Amino acid sequence: MVTILAIESSCDDTSAAVLRDNVLLSNVIASQKVHEQYGGVVPELASRAHQQNIIPVVDAAIREAGIQKTDIDAVAFTRGPGLMGSLMVGVSFAKSFAQALGKPLIEVNHLQAHVLSHFIQAESGSTPTFPFLCLLVSGGHTQILLLRDHFDMEVLGQTIDDAAGEAIDKAAKIMDLGYPGGPIIDRLAKEGNPEAFKFATPQIAGYDYSFSGIKTSFLYFLRDQLKVDPDFIENHKADLCASIQKTIVSFLLKKVERAALDHQVRQVAIAGGVSANSLLRSELQRICDKHGWTAFIPPFKFCTDNAAMVGIAGYYKYLRGEFADISLPPYTRG
Ligand code: KG4
Ligand code: ZN
């Protein structure tokens, strides 16, 4: 049996988790509220908050797991991509902790970790088998991946500009709904009519995406409407949320469905922060049911950033004997 302590600090969540093999023993997340008033993550404030949070979060993860520090066999950490200052805190902590324990280090790619969260032993249900497709959708990334093995992920398509989560967050910002906009739009959309307004999606070749045009046409549409009715957003908030959400989700899934058909894959997973979106979840299930495919939809706690996913990625690297040198620096881009 292998016990892994995992650390995640790539953006604005400080998280630590303990796994015993593929079983999660604890997963502690400290979310940083300080960014809300700025409508986005402020990097300097994020690294400062990570520094305040990291020791209590790791302590809590070890305590909740019911283990001793000496039980830890390896320390896994997110090396990148992410914000440099944020990564530095988790990376430095992981290195010193591993060195103090005399245990090996395992570096983890944040995006791979999001995808591999599907291999954390589930309380119910099964894990995917290879090959399978995964739509990775977060605030920073939008990719369709074909997985042939745990670390063999072929990028079939990706966004050429904004990420899906970024587009949703920007739409929310335009409507002055708050940050992060994803969960707010999801909630308000439940009361609205998704067919109320139509927003065009761009024609992009293959399995690639583009979201900046959707955001711009949303902005211009609202500008025109506000000239006629200054209360337009207030009066149509739910319909606007439902319509923009539907536009983005349909665009995402249309390409995923195409990719699964073309590659004859019968299992489709979603991962990353936007996979918490209720329409994306229900629409993926509907498409999979239609084709007789299996949908893998992560529990909410594994959608947004967490260390449990870093731990499961670390576990598979441990099995492969892939350990990291203490001199490795973080990297900001995937
Ligand atoms: O994976 P994540 O926590 O951080 C990154 O690695 O980027 O993803 C954060 C993104 C944000 O854009 C947030 O608005 C979005 O995930 N998000 C959602 C929902 N919950 C979080 N988007 C749509 N619907 C949601 N329910
Ligand atoms: Zn993430």
Side-chain angles (χ1 to χ4, degrees):
M1 261 196 314
V2 184
T3 303
I4 303 230
L5 170 72
I7 314 277
E8 156 65 36
S9 73
S10 64
C11 191
D12 60 342
D13 294 299
T14 320
S15 181
V18 175
L19 277 84
R20 186 155 281 163
D21 290 347
N22 63 345
V23 179
L24 185 63
L25 300 185
S26 65
N27 184 34
V28 177
I29 305 170
S31 297
Q32 304 177 359
K33 297 273 167 255
V34 60
H35 310 287
E36 278 169 17
Q37 57 187 304
Y38 301 102
V41 177
V42 183
E44 182 55 31
L45 296 179
S47 29
R48 245 185 272 171
H50 281 305
Q51 268 175 332
Q52 283 166 358
N53 292 340
I54 188 95
I55 291 173
V57 164
V58 170
D59 265 346
I62 291 172
R63 198 173 51 245
E64 281 181 28
I67 62 156
Q68 304 295 317
K69 285 191 189 73
T70 47
D71 296 331
I72 295 168
D73 295 308
V75 180
F77 64 97
T78 301
R79 186 180 166 203
L83 300 169
M84 183 46 90
S86 292
L87 288 164
M88 285 294 287
V89 177
V91 171
S92 315
F93 182 88
K95 285 178 180 176
S96 32
F97 203 75
Q99 202 166 37
L101 292 173
K103 299 294 179 183
L105 276 168
I106 303 173
E107 59 150 320
V108 169
N109 174 294
H110 181 85
L111 305 178
Q112 290 185 343
H114 268 300
V115 178
L116 293 176
S117 66
H118 284 284
F119 292 92
I120 298 169
Q121 197 183 68
E123 291 105 51
S124 60
S126 54
T127 54
T129 53
F130 302 106
F132 71 93
L133 217 62
C134 185
L135 172 70
L136 173 60
V137 265
S138 71
H141 296 85
T142 305
Q143 295 182 327
I144 301 180
L145 300 161
L146 176 61
L147 276 97
R148 297 193 184 87
D149 196 2
H150 293 102
F151 296 100
D152 179 354
M153 306 186 186
E154 184 188 342
V155 181
L156 299 181
Q158 59 190 328
T159 182
I160 58 168
D161 42 51
D162 295 352
E166 194 179 349
I168 297 176
D169 290 343
K170 283 179 180 169
K173 197 167 185 172
I174 292 168
M175 293 187 279
D176 207 14
L177 298 180
Y179 177 86
I184 304 170
I185 288 201
D186 192 350
R187 180 166 44 80
L188 292 171
K190 291 195 167 74
E191 314 290 319
N193 172 12
E195 310 297 335
F197 307 107
K198 293 267 176 267
F199 303 105
T201 46
Q203 299 290 324
I204 303 283
Y207 311 117
D208 282 343
Y209 296 108
S210 165
F211 290 99
S212 73
I214 300 176
K215 173 200 67 197
T216 310
S217 64
F218 186 63
L219 180 65
Y220 286 148
F221 169 77
L222 286 180
R223 226 178 246 179
D224 287 344
Q225 298 300 323
L226 287 169
K227 279 181 202 146
V228 188
D229 172 11
D231 297 324
F232 183 79
I233 294 178
E234 202 47 48
N235 292 338
H236 301 276
K237 203 178 266 177
D239 286 347
L240 285 167
C241 288
S243 301
I244 194 75
Q245 175 180 268
K246 187 188 170 218
T247 305
I248 290 173
V249 167
S250 306
F251 185 36
L252 285 170
L253 289 177
K254 193 174 77 182
K255 299 233 174 184
V256 169
E257 186 176 15
R258 189 71 261 154
L261 288 168
D262 292 348
H263 291 81
Q264 298 177 348
V265 171
R266 304 183 58 81
Q267 300 172 87
V268 184
I270 48 175
V274 182
S275 64
N277 183 266
S278 45
L279 184 69
L280 181 65
R281 296 164 81 92
S282 62
E283 281 297 285
L284 174 70
Q285 189 64 59
R286 187 185 61 76
I287 290 168
C288 286
D289 289 348
K290 181 177 82 180
H291 292 288
W293 301 340
T294 310
F296 289 92
I297 297 166
F300 288 113
K301 61 181 176 203
F302 298 151
C303 292
T304 45
D305 291 346
N306 65 86
M309 66 186 196
V310 178
I312 192 75
Y315 169 65
Y316 285 108
K317 285 203 160 181
Y318 186 98
L319 295 183
R320 294 154 62 110
E322 285 183 24
F323 299 106
D325 189 88
I326 192 139
S327 65
L328 282 184
Y331 54 83
T332 54
R333 303 190 67 86

